[in-house]
Amino acid sequence: MTDLLEPAQRPHDAASRAAALAEVPLVSPAPQGGIRGIVKHRYLLRLLVKREVTARYHGSFLGMLWSYINPLTQFLMYIFIFTLLMGRGQQIEHFAIHVFCSIMVVSLFTETISAGTRSIVRNSSLLQKSAMPRETFPFASLLVSVYHLWPEFVILAVALMFTGWAPPLAALGAGLLGYGIIMVFALGLGLMLSVSQVFLRDTGQVVQVVNNFIRFGVPMMYPYSLVAERFHGHTDLYLSNPIAIAVLLVQRCFWVPTTVDQDATIAESMPPHLFERGFIALAGALVLLFIAQKVFTRFENKIPERI
Amino acid sequence: MSDSIIVEHVSKKFTKQYHRTLKQVTVAMARRQQVSNSFLALDDVSFRVEQGESIGLMGLNGSGKSTLLKLVQGVMSPDTGSVQTRGRISGLIATGAGFHPQLTGRENIYLNAAILGMSEAETNRKFDEITDFADLGDFLDSPVGYYSSGMYARLGFAIAIHVDADIFLADEALSVGDKPFKVKCMKKMKEIRESGVTIFYVSHAASSVEKMCDRVLVLEKGRLGFDGDVKAGIKYLGYDDESEGTDEELGSEV
């Protein structure tokens, strides 16, 4: 499947083909993996992502509108439960935004790893027939999840407009860092889990269980101030979770600027050294991604016969 | 002429059952049954193919033909030995792979062509040829889920056969489509052959191998049993004995 000659110069008779191929080396027909493989097959990657995105709401009358309806109803539900029913809103400003921006990060992560885990097994018929870089599938799972963020951002943007959100530069940096951590971390795990699922079908079940824990292991439904108060002096374990750090960074970006006294909010609801912790988490995630790629390369040759 | 495919001392081992449950493993261990179960699908296979040769790969079911084809294609890698190829590989191997029933014929052409290694520009350039060949009429913009099985297969074939390749692999017998379509496919295959493309053709049909190929490889339980002249190869395999019914009677492909 290697594209060694430009289409325009492809030969049409035996003599010119032999001449053209004289320059082409003999190589192993196995696909080139890794980032270079994906970059080389980026057109295919784009089409696969498009296929997943259009297939999700295909055939429904409202189509892509559903991707707005889902998060919108969720958001309204949080406002109802947290602000009106449980009265959290009295203690914490704009708690619905706190929950919603956090849940966007968490669901980006959980969706990516659960779709990523299944991605290779689900595309088994393709993998058995075509020599393409196998990393394409877990990577496509990440891109599909990222694509589905946009409707959520639109709804968040409307909510932020009502609160008069005007973020300082540091807040925007925090948001970028938070999303960076979560994407690299999810991609690394997705890569490893996708190949693990091929050999051990129990992986998918484990991922579901872990995903349930993740929702409560990050300051989403509760503010970080609660953790700091209860685990006083012992918050390091809680903060060693890169997902928790990513969630806090994204809150720093979207939620903190909506509060009246930002400095007070940061002092109360953000851990100290948040940015340093963020950069450490990002470095950790990058190391994980590197290891994941090594593990993937080590086992990928066995994938076609095992699925 | 230069080498197009070099296969050297290739072996490939498969396990019969991979996914065992906890229950199965415990029961097997309690009964002291053997837990591993593997077999050699290919056993020390070596051959060279020159650019422009047409090879017929024959053998009984389970002799390792499809495995060998997957190794040449690069989908699988050999346990021992090496496979090397020169140029772009394509062919009638992934026909309809990745077709999504909810996408239209048009969208699926782009997707399937990309899976077969074509760029967007190349697909654009060949789009009309492909649609003419598949002969779908106004179904082109309907989801392929609504296609008849013949149309579905024709579309898959039409895309695969239009990929420019230096090595053309064909695993699926031309058993789909009606007679005019089969004739069209054979004609196109001849064209491909005459343009100096190496052809690697897996078939049980002696008559079409005789028409298409100038050399035959016969696999027997994973070993290369015969490598040489087409007629002799068919005779080696015992496919020339027509007392059990000719290709025509058995309804093999053209």
Side-chain angles (χ1 to χ4, degrees), chain A residues 11-286:
Chain A
H12 292 286
D13 61 277
S16 59
R17 184 181 304 275
L21 280 173
E23 305 295 315
V24 179
L26 270 166
V27 288
S28 158
Q32 184 188 31
I35 292 167
R36 286 174 65 190
I38 290 181
V39 170
K40 212 161 101 186
H41 288 76
R42 58 189 180 278
Y43 167 59
L44 174 60
L45 178 69
R46 204 178 80 208
L47 290 181
L48 285 171
V49 170
K50 206 173 129 198
R51 179 184 77 168
E52 292 299 312
V53 169
T54 47
R56 184 179 293 197
Y57 300 106
H58 205 281
S60 64
F61 183 64
L62 293 179
M64 287 302 278
L65 263 183
W66 280 112
S67 56
Y68 291 89
I69 295 171
N70 274 332
L72 182 65
T73 50
Q74 243 185 341
F75 187 53
L76 293 176
M77 199 180 69
Y78 297 137
I79 293 182
F80 177 74
I81 292 180
F82 289 110
T83 312
L84 301 176
L85 198 65
M86 289 168 68
R88 273 255 162 82
Q90 284 147 20
Q91 304 146 31
I92 301 154
E93 285 173 87
H94 305 302
F95 197 67
I97 289 177
H98 177 282
V99 178
F100 190 71
C101 73
S102 314
I103 220 162
M104 280 171 64
V105 178
V106 172
S107 58
L108 172 65
F109 183 80
T110 53
E111 266 177 39
T112 304
I113 64 167
S114 52
T117 304
R118 284 177 277 115
S119 62
I120 287 190
V121 172
R122 246 180 39 148
N123 287 292
S124 58
S125 62
L126 258 184
L127 278 163
Q128 282 170 317
K129 283 178 173 170
S130 174
M132 57 168 86
R134 285 122 190 170
E135 290 93 335
T136 311
F137 297 102
F139 194 61
S141 300
L142 172 68
L143 294 187
V144 170
S145 305
V146 169
Y147 185 89
H148 283 116
L149 275 180
W150 295 120
E152 298 177 358
F153 268 123
V154 169
I155 288 162
L156 182 66
V158 173
L160 289 174
M161 255 165 48
F162 280 105
T163 62
W165 178 67
L169 211 57
L172 287 178
L176 284 178
L177 184 58
Y179 270 102
I181 293 168
I182 214 74
M183 284 190 221
V184 176
F185 191 45
L187 181 61
L189 273 182
L191 264 178
M192 273 205 265
L193 292 169
S194 66
V195 77
S196 166
Q197 172 79 349
V198 173
F199 295 96
L200 196 68
R201 298 291 150 102
D202 308 55
T203 309
Q205 306 301 327
V206 175
V207 167
Q208 291 314 317
V209 173
V210 171
N211 276 349
N212 287 336
F213 278 101
I214 287 172
R215 289 194 188 94
F216 293 97
V218 300
M220 178 169 79
M221 299 295 189
Y222 50 87
Y224 176 73
S225 51
L226 202 67
V227 180
E229 186 191 312
R230 296 285 154 86
F231 297 161
H232 186 70
H234 304 281
T235 49
D236 280 344
L237 184 65
Y238 187 91
L239 291 173
S240 64
N241 175 7
I243 309 164
I245 295 294
V247 165
L248 285 165
L249 282 164
V250 170
Q251 288 173 0
R252 177 81 177 72
C253 174
F254 295 117
W255 174 63
V256 172
T258 63
T259 55
V260 178
D261 187 351
Q262 291 191 32
D263 291 331
T265 313
I266 291 170
E268 193 194 7
S269 295
M270 295 282 129
H273 311 298
L274 179 61
F275 280 90
E276 288 88 335
R277 287 177 196 275
F279 282 114
I280 293 169
L282 183 62
L286 284 168

Side-chain angles (χ1 to χ4, degrees), chain B residues 13-156:
Chain B
K13 193 190 258 177
F14 285 135
T15 304
K16 285 172 196 158
Q17 190 190 358
Y18 283 114
H19 296 287
R20 291 167 161 272
T21 63
L22 181 64
K23 189 175 150 196
Q24 282 172 335
V25 172
T26 336
V27 170
M29 269 162 64
R31 290 183 184 161
R32 290 168 195 281
Q33 280 169 346
Q34 180 195 0
V35 182
S36 86
N37 47 357
S38 57
F39 66 100
L40 268 179
L42 288 176
D43 185 4
D44 197 23
V45 173
S46 301
F47 60 88
R48 274 165 184 265
V49 178
E50 281 190 356
Q51 186 62 45
E53 268 190 298
S54 301
I55 307 290
L57 182 59
M58 301 183 85
L60 301 176
N61 286 335
S63 55
K65 303 184 296 292
S66 300
T67 307
L68 181 57
L69 206 67
K70 282 188 175 149
L71 291 174
V72 172
Q73 193 198 347
V75 168
M76 287 184 182
S77 17
D79 290 340
T80 56
S82 72
V83 178
Q84 286 186 302
T85 56
R86 198 194 299 277
R88 191 203 239 188
I89 305 169
S90 184
L92 298 173
I93 26 175
T95 60
F99 270 12
H100 200 291
Q102 289 170 347
L103 300 182
T104 64
R106 188 185 298 273
E107 290 165 321
N108 270 307
I109 288 178
Y110 280 93
L111 182 60
N112 190 245
I115 287 163
L116 292 168
M118 280 162 78
S119 66
E120 190 171 8
E122 197 181 346
T123 316
N124 282 335
R125 215 155 31 77
K126 292 199 177 137
F127 192 84
D128 292 339
E129 260 182 88
I130 291 170
T131 48
D132 282 350
F133 197 89
D135 197 16
L136 297 174
D138 50 6
F139 271 85
L140 184 62
D141 287 307
S142 308
V144 298
Y146 298 117
Y147 284 20
S148 72
S149 53
M151 286 163 69
Y152 192 93
R154 283 210 307 270
L155 182 61

